[in-house]
Amino acid sequence: MTPILRRNNVTVVGEGTTTIMLAHGFGTDQQVWHLIVPHLKENYRLVLFDYVGSGHSDKQAYNEARYGELDGYAQDIIDIADELDLADFILIGHSISSMIGLLVTIKRPELIRDLIMVGPSPIYIANEDIPNLFKENEIEALIEMMERNFSEWTKTLAPIASSNPDRPELSEDFEKRLLHNDAKIIKKFAEVTFYIDLRQELSIPTTPTLIFQTKEDNISPIESGEFVHGNMQNSTLIIMEAKGHNPHLSAPEELLTGINNYLQERNEGK
């Protein structure tokens, strides 16, 4: 295994002629895709990885200067693609990885054939375009809690993200995933994530983009998905029946159906 593949704990499965790269969101790692990988790998070659600082990546490779902005995480994807000689592949990005994927399409437009966003938001602080977001003092309080009591922070964020009070196992599962993180690194990632503003960048790429938005999401509300769709040149929006910020965990069948239908239409349209 090469240094870059080792650095990002890259896993390649499946035998398809088309490659899909799966990019996990904030606070998780590649294992978060475990419910959809068995189905996708039947028809696609899948590339999974952990951002530096997440999962089983080489945490010694973490550099705060590089990962103090989203460009550093976008470069992880570019590095992996170059190392595996990938081009014209499909990127599925959850949450903040939707925006990281957006940056990749701007930096290297030839790499990504289709960008699939799951629960995207270009900004997380309430504003004139998307008022139904966190207030700035709420973001500050969450980040302060991370530093003061990391365990308590996971207990607070998990049910907010899961948004399925009748399915407590989803919140418990997400809480365990959050707890696997290095507290110092994840705090910096939180700052990078929650203070982004990529509203202006949405209009730049022409990459065909599919946006999945659940009908109830406390992290990226429906207005976020609608705003992303309304400001991208070549996008399709699917409003899911699922609730919560993690439909790949709470409603994998619905997510898979949407992905497969979209890719089939794209392939037939070529």
Side-chain angles (χ1 to χ4, degrees):
M1 183 178 284
T2 67
I4 286 174
L5 300 185
R6 188 180 305 110
R7 181 192 72 187
N8 289 98
N9 187 34
V10 174
T11 305
V12 180
V13 297
E15 302 294 336
T17 56
T18 300
T19 297
I20 297 178
M21 186 183 293
L22 295 154
H24 65 85
F26 167 79
T28 62
D29 58 41
Q30 63 183 273
Q31 295 301 320
V32 80
W33 300 108
H34 73 286
L35 294 177
I36 71 170
V37 163
H39 303 278
L40 287 178
K41 74 177 183 180
E42 294 177 1
N43 299 302
Y44 299 96
R45 179 189 185 216
L46 304 181
V47 176
L48 299 100
F49 70 97
D50 299 331
Y51 288 118
V52 170
S54 300
H56 293 285
S57 66
D58 179 6
K59 294 181 177 60
Q60 296 302 312
Y62 182 81
N63 181 301
E64 192 168 307
R66 170 169 170 155
Y67 297 104
E69 54 186 30
L70 284 190
D71 283 342
Y73 294 97
Q75 191 60 48
D76 274 12
I77 290 177
I78 292 170
D79 288 349
I80 294 165
D82 287 345
E83 191 69 20
L84 294 175
D85 197 25
L86 300 180
D88 202 35
F89 65 91
I90 299 158
L91 178 69
I92 302 178
H94 173 238
S95 191
I96 191 60
S97 278
S98 298
M99 294 299 108
I100 294 170
L102 178 82
L103 294 178
V104 174
T105 65
I106 295 171
K107 291 171 176 287
R108 294 278 297 277
E110 80 284 0
L111 285 183
I112 298 176
R113 189 195 90 181
D114 290 272
L115 176 60
I116 298 178
M117 298 179 165
V118 182
S121 188
I123 188 169
Y124 289 96
I125 295 175
N127 58 85
E128 67 278 8
D129 293 319
I130 315 173
N132 192 26
L133 292 168
F134 292 103
K135 296 181 177 61
E136 188 166 5
N137 66 321
E138 291 175 327
I139 295 291
E140 291 172 353
L142 274 173
I143 291 175
E144 287 174 7
M145 185 186 295
M146 291 179 78
E147 191 164 20
R148 186 176 66 253
N149 190 328
F150 187 69
S151 177
E152 189 63 27
W153 169 77
T154 64
K155 291 181 184 299
T156 299
L157 184 63
I160 293 174
S162 298
S163 302
N164 278 272
D166 56 329
R167 298 173 65 188
E169 70 278 5
L170 293 174
S171 179
E172 292 166 5
D173 175 70
F174 192 52
E175 181 182 339
K176 290 176 183 176
R177 294 177 188 278
L178 292 172
L179 279 169
H180 285 162
N181 287 278
D182 178 291
K184 183 178 179 181
I185 293 176
I186 198 65
K187 177 177 178 291
K188 187 62 181 179
F189 198 3
E191 293 171 345
V192 173
T193 296
F194 289 119
Y195 288 109
I196 63 163
D197 186 353
L198 294 177
R199 287 175 290 175
Q200 297 302 314
E201 283 78 359
L202 291 173
S203 63
I204 298 173
T206 58
T207 305
T209 301
L210 174 63
I211 301 159
F212 283 102
Q213 174 67 54
T214 65
K215 66 180 181 181
E216 183 179 324
D217 185 343
N218 293 322
I219 305 295
S220 299
I222 199 164
E223 294 86 356
S224 291
E226 292 173 340
F227 183 84
V228 172
H229 172 52
N231 285 273
M232 293 194 75
Q233 296 186 52
N234 193 7
S235 68
T236 301
L237 175 63
I238 293 178
I239 304 295
M240 302 179 67
E241 285 300 311
K243 295 190 297 182
H245 194 55
N246 302 314
H248 46 322
L249 294 173
S250 63
E253 298 88 355
E254 185 183 4
L255 184 64
L256 277 164
T257 297
I259 291 171
N260 287 329
N261 289 344
Y262 171 80
L263 293 180
Q264 183 177 345
E265 290 175 7
R266 287 279 292 131
N267 290 334
E268 290 175 351
K270 286 190 171 183

